[in-house]
Amino acid sequence: MTDTTGGLGSVLSPVAGGGIPETLLEEAAYEAHRLAATTLPDDVKRAFVGMRDREQEELPKRVLEAIVDNFHAAEDDQRPVCADVGVPRIYAVIGNETAIAGGFVSFERAVRRATGRITSDLALRSNRCHPITRRNPGNNVGVFAPNIEYRVEPDADYIEICAVHKGGAFGTDFRMLVDGDGLPGIRKAVLDAIAEFGRRGLTCPPVVIGVGLGGTKDQSFSIAKQAAQLRPIGDRHPDPDVAALEDELLEMANSLGIGAMGYVGTAGYATDVHVEIAYTHSALTPMGVHQLCQATRRGVVRVHMDGRTETRPTPSWFSDYSRRMGVE
Amino acid sequence: MTTHRLSIPLQEDDVRQLRISDVVYLDGTVHTGRALVYEHVLQGQNQPLLDLANESNVQMHGAPAGVEDAPGEYRLSSIQATASFRYWKYVPDYVERFGIRAIIGKGGMDKWVYEDVFAKTGTVFLTTVGYGIAALYGRAVKRVIDVHWKEELGLPEAMWVLDVENFGPFIVDGDCTGASLAAEHVDSVNKNFAREYAKLPEYVLKRIGEIDHSLANEVIVGKPAGDGD
Ligand code: SF4
C-alpha cells in the first residue's frame, strides 16, 4: 500500500514534547471530511470504471457512465459526491505510543469543530437533527454527533482519522440466526437483504455488502458497517473460512441479474462482499448486513507524533491486532 | 430510449409524448419538497408562494446540500432525490391541485399512481440517475431563486426554488400510459431470486430479528385499501 503525503503543508510543524496539538488534529479531521465528501477512493473508482466497461445492457451502462462522470465532477468542482451526506461520522485508530497535547478531550473538540466547518465550507446538507423535535442546528453536530469510534493499535505513534459519509435509509438489515441455521442461513439473510433493497435499486447499486457475523446484536451491526465502509474493494479476510464465504456471497449477489441502479444488467450488483466475524454465543449468530451505496465515501488522514500528516488510500481499522484471538 | 430537452413550465404535449426509459434534461424553475412541504401545503393549507402551474410545474423530491451564507443568500453544492414512493399519500393531491407535470425522484412510485393519477393529469415520473449523481445535478443549478418556509420547516426540508439549465440526465420511470420502468425490472429479476431461494432451506425459527421478507413483499406499500375504481 502506497502512502501519499497529504496537502496539509501549511499546518505541518514539528510537535513539541507535549503531543499532537489540537489545531493539527482539527485540520486532519477537516481534510478527512473533505476527502470523504468530494473524492471517491481509488479502489472504488477503479471498480466503477471496470463495471462500466463490462456492462452490456444499455440502461445500467448509461447509469455507470453517469456515476463515473459524477465522481469526476465532484472532485473537479469540490462538490459532495451525493447530496445525502448521511450522518458524517469518524473512525479513529489510536496508536498506543501517541500523545495528544490536550488529551482526548482536545481530539474530540477538534473533530466537532472540523465537522461544523466542513458543513458550511462545502455546503454539505445538515442532516443531523433532534429525533423528536426535528430541530436542526445546521452544522451536523449535536448530541452523540458526530459519533466517534475508537480502536487502539500497538507500537504506533499516530492517530488515524477516517471520516465516513453514508446516506440512505435502505440496505441495513439484521437477522438473529440460531445454531441450526448454519451457512445456508447466512446466505439466505444476505439474499433477503438484497431482495428487500436491491430490487428497484434502493441501495443505489453497485454496492459493497458488509456482513457482520457474531458477537452481540449491536456488535454484529457495527462490524457489518465497518466491513463495508473500512475495507478496500478486493480485500479478503485473513481467516480462509471467512474469505471463502466472502467469495461465495459475492458470486450469489452477482448472479441475480441486477445491475447499476437496480436495472437488469450483466456487470453485477456488488463490487465486493466483506465479512467480519466476532466470537459469539454458542447458540446464536446475530448477523448484520450493511449495503454501502455507489457514493462509497471515506477519507483517511494520519497524524504522526512528529507532526507529519498523510492521506491514505484506505483505513487501517482492521489489523492483525484488532482481529487477534487468544489470551495475551 | 430517446433524449429530450424540455423547458419548464412543461406543456401537456411535451409530457404525454415521453415513454419509460427516455432520457430528459430540463431548463427553467424546479422546486423541491419532501414530507414537510407536502404537509405544510396540503394539511396546513399554506398556499405556495409562487404560481406552480405556470412557473414551476416540476417538483423534485429532494433536500439539496446547501447553506445560507447570509440572510437570503444561498449556496447549493449538490442535489439528488430521495425515495419517492413513500410520498404516495401526498403526490396525487399535490399534482392535481398545482398542475404538476413532472415529479423528479428516486425509486419511482407504485404503478397505481401512474395508472390512476398521472395518466389522467398528464404527469410523468423522472428518476434521478445513479440514484445519487448529485454533483452533476448540482452543476446544472444556476441559481437558488429562493427558499420558502425555511423558518417553519428548517433549511433542508424547506421548499427550494431553483433556476436550472440542462438539468439532467433523468430517466422516465413512469409515463402517461401508466407504464413503470422499475416495476418491469423488478419483475425480470424476481425469477433469479426465486432460483436462489430454492437452493436454501427455511430458517429454523420464524423471526427473532428484524428481517422478515418474502418476494411478494416489496418495500413500497402498494395501493391503499378502499381506493376502489
Ligand atoms: S444511497 Fe444513493 S442517494 Fe443515498 S447517499 Fe448513497 S448514492 Fe446518495
Side-chain angles (χ1 to χ4, degrees):
Chain A
M1 185 179 301
T2 49
D3 296 357
T4 44
T5 302
L8 301 178
S10 59
V11 291
L12 270 181
S13 61
V15 176
I20 303 173
E22 189 170 319
T23 47
L24 201 51
L25 293 171
E26 183 176 333
E27 290 321 306
Y30 182 94
E31 178 65 3
H33 274 312
R34 187 189 68 76
L35 286 168
T38 61
T39 310
L40 290 191
D42 285 339
D43 56 299
V44 177
K45 289 181 188 163
R46 269 197 305 276
F48 290 162
V49 169
M51 276 183 153
R52 178 199 63 190
D53 296 345
R54 283 200 310 280
E55 182 56 70
Q56 283 157 21
E57 291 285 341
E58 189 178 356
L59 212 43
K61 195 175 185 79
R62 281 198 177 208
V63 173
L64 286 158
E65 279 164 2
I67 286 172
V68 171
D69 289 348
N70 183 64
F71 73 61
H72 286 304
E75 210 170 325
D76 292 348
D77 297 6
Q78 290 293 292
R79 295 172 191 274
V81 175
C82 186
D84 189 352
V85 303
V87 283
R89 62 190 300 176
I90 297 287
Y91 293 90
V93 177
I94 310 291
N96 197 40
E97 315 303 323
T98 312
I100 304 171
F104 277 91
V105 168
S106 147
F107 172 65
E108 297 200 338
R109 209 162 40 213
V111 164
R112 290 172 82 85
R113 218 180 291 124
T115 306
R117 277 176 52 210
I118 199 74
T119 298
S120 91
D121 288 357
L122 286 183
L124 300 183
R125 191 203 288 170
S126 54
N127 272 338
R128 293 274 199 179
C129 67
H130 188 291
I132 299 167
T133 66
R134 316 311 292 180
R135 199 186 70 80
N136 189 326
N139 53 10
N140 282 316
V141 178
V143 179
F144 289 146
N147 37 339
I148 308 176
E149 278 183 63
Y150 296 94
R151 82 162 189 85
V152 178
E153 180 68 17
D155 305 318
D157 76 336
Y158 54 76
I159 291 189
E160 184 182 285
I161 302 170
C162 176
V164 171
H165 298 186
K166 159 71 176 87
F170 300 108
T172 300
D173 278 335
F174 174 80
R175 174 100 204 175
M176 184 63 86
L177 297 170
V178 298
D179 41 9
D181 280 315
L183 271 173
I186 294 169
R187 266 180 232 130
K188 193 175 175 106
V190 171
L191 192 59
D192 284 347
I194 302 174
E196 184 91 6
F197 298 124
R199 293 182 300 158
R200 218 171 252 273
L202 299 181
T203 48
C204 292
V207 298
V208 179
I209 302 175
V211 177
L213 284 178
T216 52
K217 190 173 191 176
D218 57 321
Q219 221 180 353
S220 71
F221 235 117
S222 295
I223 59 176
K225 287 209 156 199
Q226 294 164 6
Q229 294 170 342
L230 304 178
R231 289 173 52 189
I233 289 167
D235 184 43
R236 281 292 165 267
H237 196 285
D239 178 335
D241 292 325
V242 179
L245 180 60
E246 291 176 331
D247 287 338
E248 196 187 306
L249 292 174
L250 179 62
E251 200 190 312
M252 181 183 73
N254 287 341
S255 74
L256 298 165
I258 309 180
M261 214 174 137
Y263 292 135
V264 171
T266 60
Y269 170 73
T271 51
D272 212 347
V273 177
H274 295 146
V275 180
E276 284 300 323
I277 58 158
Y279 276 37
T280 193
H281 191 288
S282 50
L284 300 169
T285 310
M287 171 169 167
V289 182
H290 182 70
Q291 302 183 62
L292 182 56
C293 62
Q294 58 95 10
T296 306
R297 290 161 291 176
R298 54 175 139 82
V300 190
V301 177
R302 240 184 221 190
V303 188
H304 292 266
M305 278 290 280
D306 61 6
R308 255 181 327 121
T309 62
E310 51 172 341
T311 59
R312 297 182 57 90
T314 38
S316 60
W317 183 261
F318 291 105
S319 69
D320 291 345
Y321 176 78
S322 72
R323 291 181 178 128
R324 73 199 180 279
M325 57 178 291
V327 180
E328 287 145 274
Chain B
M1 203 183 272
T2 321
T3 300
H4 309 257
R5 183 154 175 184
L6 302 173
S7 296
I8 304 168
L10 299 177
Q11 305 304 313
E12 181 159 5
D13 293 348
D14 295 342
V15 165
R16 288 203 179 268
Q17 60 161 350
L18 298 174
R19 288 294 172 269
I20 53 170
S21 85
D22 281 358
V23 175
V24 174
Y25 291 81
L26 298 169
D27 300 283
T29 306
V30 169
H31 69 282
T32 68
R34 303 208 293 186
L36 294 191
V37 163
Y38 282 132
E39 288 186 359
H40 200 61
V41 172
L42 299 173
Q43 281 147 36
Q45 306 295 337
N46 294 285
Q47 208 36 47
L49 303 176
L50 70 168
D51 175 359
L52 295 179
N54 293 305
E55 293 174 52
S56 179
N57 60 6
V58 176
Q59 186 187 36
M60 182 162 188
H61 290 152
V67 291
E68 186 174 16
D69 284 327
E73 247 180 64
Y74 304 94
R75 184 160 42 96
L76 182 151
S77 52
S78 295
I79 183 165
Q80 113 293 4
T82 195
S84 295
F85 44 82
R86 70 182 192 267
Y87 301 135
W88 59 271
K89 278 192 287 187
Y90 317 108
V91 165
D93 235 16
Y94 191 84
V95 161
E96 279 177 50
R97 262 180 70 182
F98 300 108
I100 302 300
R101 294 252 170 255
I103 294 276
I104 301 173
K106 167 178 173 177
M109 302 206 56
D110 201 10
K111 215 167 163 345
W112 69 266
V113 177
Y114 303 155
E115 286 169 344
D116 299 0
V117 184
F118 287 11
K120 206 165 59 200
T121 55
T123 306
V124 288
F125 188 97
L126 303 176
T127 175
T128 54
V129 173
Y131 289 97
I133 53 163
L136 281 182
Y137 294 136
R139 258 188 189 174
V141 175
K142 292 295 131 199
R143 192 167 65 92
V144 177
I145 298 171
D146 210 344
V147 181
H148 299 313
W149 303 317
K150 64 169 189 282
E151 302 306 330
E152 296 94 316
L153 310 181
L155 197 58
E157 301 297 330
M159 182 191 279
W160 290 64
V161 183
L162 309 172
D163 178 18
V164 300
E165 188 182 309
N166 208 17
F167 191 39
F170 302 112
I171 299 172
V172 178
D173 181 75
D175 65 26
C176 295
T177 71
S180 159
L181 183 63
E184 278 185 7
H185 284 256
V186 168
D187 285 348
S188 342
V189 296
N190 273 349
K191 61 176 185 308
N192 303 336
F193 280 93
R195 181 196 69 216
E196 290 304 308
Y197 274 120
K199 298 178 191 164
L200 298 167
E202 280 308 312
Y203 292 117
V204 173
L205 297 180
K206 212 163 175 199
R207 177 187 156 98
I208 40 175
E210 273 73 44
I211 294 174
D212 181 20
H213 188 75
S214 87
L215 269 185
N217 172 17
E218 246 202 288
V219 179
I220 59 176
V221 290
K223 190 167 183 172
D227 185 13
D229 63 335

